[in-house]
Amino acid sequence: MAETIRIAYLYEDLMNTYGDSGDVKILRYLLNQQGYAVKVDNISLGHPFDADDYDFVFFGGGQDYEQTVVAKDVPRLHDTLHKYIEAGNPMLCICGGYQFLGTYYKMVDGTSINCLNLLPLHTVFRPEARMIGDTEYETEWGTVRAFENHSGCTYFDDKDKLKPLGKMVEGYGNNPEDGVEGMRYKNTFGSYSHGPILKNHNIANAFADMIVKRHAERTAAVAEA
């Protein structure tokens, strides 16, 4: 019987803008090709969640309304996600999910959504700076091509702690000023790349490798318990 890799999709029913679920489908395919079964759980409003039970956590994008709904529920996930992230386990957050890693998201009307405050970054909606179109950037795994569509500008509050996912070649990335796309902290990644991002086989394979490593460590720990 094939071993089962477990993936947590945070708020799949609310945070799935521009087909971000494609990232999870691609990972399922790659992991199936390696002989693993894959179980994906939608962790939505009020659902119990312990990140220690999973080999990968995914958080997709959403519009402002959906983000205000999620913002009322997501604080309860803080402690378990903090432990998971600090342990170096793999997590990918796209657009709105990326913004939720930070301290706040200031919306177009000037009000702010309190985010998870897991990492030192914040986002400000800038209606005059709509960032839409094809995007290309260089990462440690090579070139990534996708598309972006956002007015939220994300800024790092601690550039020593957070590193960009990539350096822009085309497009805007995090904001119009910094020339970088996304974020990496340990094995937690944020990105504004839709399309989905993991259609790029180089970075998809890198995530699959991280997930397999996490799975081996998690199942070994369970066996020893």
Side-chain angles (χ1 to χ4, degrees):
M1 182 179 294
E3 294 184 46
T4 299
I5 284 177
R6 299 192 65 194
I7 294 176
Y9 191 149
L10 304 185
Y11 306 99
E12 177 182 7
D13 51 337
L14 294 166
M15 304 287 282
N16 183 26
T17 303
Y18 308 123
D20 291 331
S21 61
D23 287 314
V24 175
K25 293 174 182 176
I26 289 166
L27 287 172
R28 183 196 292 273
Y29 173 80
L30 292 175
L31 294 165
N32 287 164
Q33 291 297 105
Q34 295 186 46
Y36 294 97
V38 177
K39 185 176 188 298
V40 180
D41 292 336
N42 171 28
I43 309 300
S44 193
L45 304 176
H47 292 180
F49 174 61
D50 184 347
D52 281 345
D53 295 334
Y54 293 91
D55 302 308
F56 179 64
V57 177
F58 182 79
F59 202 170
Q63 302 297 326
D64 281 7
Y65 173 74
E66 285 77 13
Q67 286 185 251
T68 60
V69 174
V70 170
K72 297 175 183 177
D73 185 75
V74 77
R76 66 189 177 84
L77 308 185
H78 175 276
D79 291 352
T80 189
L81 286 175
H82 174 74
K83 180 182 176 184
Y84 181 90
I85 289 169
E86 291 300 326
N89 297 317
M91 181 174 182
L92 174 61
C93 304
I94 303 296
C95 201
Y98 172 24
Q99 294 165 359
F100 266 115
L101 291 173
T103 52
Y104 66 89
Y105 169 45
K106 188 173 183 180
M107 296 188 295
V108 65
D109 63 1
T111 61
S112 291
I113 296 174
N114 290 325
C115 297
L116 280 163
N117 196 22
L118 289 165
L119 295 174
L121 60 90
H122 69 276
T123 303
V124 177
F125 189 103
R126 290 171 54 185
E128 81 286 358
R130 189 73 187 175
M131 291 161 280
I132 182 170
D134 293 333
T135 182
E136 178 180 333
Y137 49 96
E138 296 299 327
T139 76
E140 63 183 280
W141 301 290
T143 302
V144 171
R145 296 181 179 89
F147 77 88
E148 60 186 342
N149 186 359
H150 59 107
S151 290
C153 296
T154 294
Y155 300 91
F156 296 169
D157 298 315
D158 185 343
K159 293 184 179 180
D160 292 326
K161 182 172 184 176
L162 306 182
K163 303 302 178 187
L165 172 58
K167 183 177 181 181
M168 297 306 300
V169 175
E170 178 184 1
Y172 299 95
N174 287 341
N175 58 66
E177 297 86 31
D178 292 345
V180 297
E181 154 60 25
M183 176 280 308
R184 178 174 188 174
Y185 172 71
K186 296 188 177 182
N187 285 323
T188 292
F189 298 81
S191 177
Y192 277 109
S193 294
H194 301 286
I197 185 175
L198 297 186
K199 70 179 181 180
N200 296 273
H201 292 177
N202 50 352
I203 194 168
N205 287 325
F207 272 95
D209 289 345
M210 283 185 266
I211 292 168
V212 168
K213 181 176 183 291
R214 158 64 177 168
H215 174 72
E217 292 170 348
R218 182 179 66 82
T219 53
V222 170
E224 292 174 0

